[in-house]
Amino acid sequence: MKIGLTGGIGSGKSTVAQLLADRGAVVIDADAIAREIVKPGETALAEIVNTFGPEVLLPDGTLDRAGLAAVVFADEDARARLDAITHPRIAERGAELIAAAPVDAVVVYDMPLLVEQGAQALRGWDRIVVVDAPDDVRLSRLIQRGLSPDDARRRMVAQASREERLAVADDVIDNGTDLAGLEAQVNELWSRLHLG
Ligand code: ATP
């Protein structure tokens, strides 16, 4: 069974992914793949340098992620060029990891931008699970995690809205309350997934 797991920044996606992993799911982290495919020696990094210039590298030869993020945040064409380099590789690696999971596994693909990536990304899942929390709750979690209020708000606004995510959800996990409430919902989801 292939589950697409998503949710806005600060919604508690990673926490839910961990709870599902604790229960035996095979969790694949799209963010981790995104970092892997731009490591030194990877062709994606060479293409990024060709496209954006050597100034996107740090002195140690690794990608200056913050610097590149600032470039693409301000320029939609640049963002499209970066996505054209990274997205196919992330999808390919993700598909490899899904294929490598045991046939009877519940595979959870933790993908922050599932909704933002459009129709193609929405296909192929047995279920799409959305972790949801009110914007003010997410904001305060992000601030607690060390983001400035302005930065946290900017990141939230740059993503899909709660409504857009909820519209594609087969299952919604409401993470507007405490961790005990979250765990109860994950238990309920986990047993439902096994009932088919
Ligand atoms: P990001 O998109 O930034 O990776 P995320 O959606 O994966 O965020 P988490 O990292 O799981 O979110 O959670 C954000 C923060 O909120 C973490 O510090 C986490 O410990 C905390 N948190 C998550 N759920 C709850 C909850 N129900 N009650 C209190 N704190 C929570």
Side-chain angles (χ1 to χ4, degrees):
M1 179 175 287
K2 284 194 298 177
I3 310 289
L5 175 70
T6 196
I9 181 168
S11 61
K13 232 172 13 284
S14 312
T15 309
V16 169
Q18 183 57 53
L19 290 170
L20 289 167
D22 293 345
R23 283 153 183 77
V26 173
V27 174
I28 300 169
D29 179 348
D31 271 352
I33 298 176
R35 286 191 295 272
E36 230 173 71
I37 58 131
V38 295
K39 283 196 171 150
E42 298 289 338
T43 53
L45 183 59
E47 278 187 36
I48 290 171
V49 172
N50 275 339
T51 306
F52 295 96
E55 54 274 21
V56 297
L57 291 179
L58 294 169
D60 68 358
T62 60
L63 183 63
D64 177 2
R65 298 173 61 82
L68 184 58
V71 172
V72 301
F73 201 72
D75 177 349
E76 246 178 60
D77 282 351
R79 164 151 233 133
R81 274 180 280 142
L82 177 63
D83 288 349
I85 297 170
T86 58
H87 284 183
R89 289 184 169 89
I90 296 170
E92 190 187 343
R93 181 77 186 126
E96 277 170 18
L97 292 172
I98 290 172
V103 278
D104 58 348
V106 174
V107 179
V108 174
Y109 196 78
D110 176 354
M111 186 170 172
L113 300 181
L114 184 84
V115 173
E116 289 80 350
Q117 289 192 8
Q120 175 86 25
L122 293 172
R123 281 198 281 272
W125 308 108
D126 294 305
R127 303 197 76 75
I128 293 179
V129 176
V130 170
V131 184
D132 181 52
D135 290 352
D136 58 332
V137 172
R138 292 163 55 204
L139 187 63
S140 74
R141 282 184 192 146
L142 293 173
I143 293 169
Q144 229 166 40
R145 213 166 60 179
L147 254 60
S148 75
D150 275 354
D151 198 12
R153 271 192 210 97
R154 249 197 314 271
R155 287 171 195 232
M156 283 170 60
V157 168
Q159 294 189 337
S161 66
R162 282 178 78 191
E163 290 69 26
E164 286 168 307
R165 265 188 224 95
L166 293 174
V168 303
D170 297 302
D171 302 281
V172 177
I173 293 190
D174 170 11
N175 191 22
T177 58
D178 58 9
L179 288 172
L182 182 64
E183 214 163 324
Q185 290 177 75
V186 171
N187 283 337
E188 193 269 331
L189 173 70
W190 186 246
S191 44
R192 213 147 30 79
L193 292 177
H194 283 91
L195 292 174

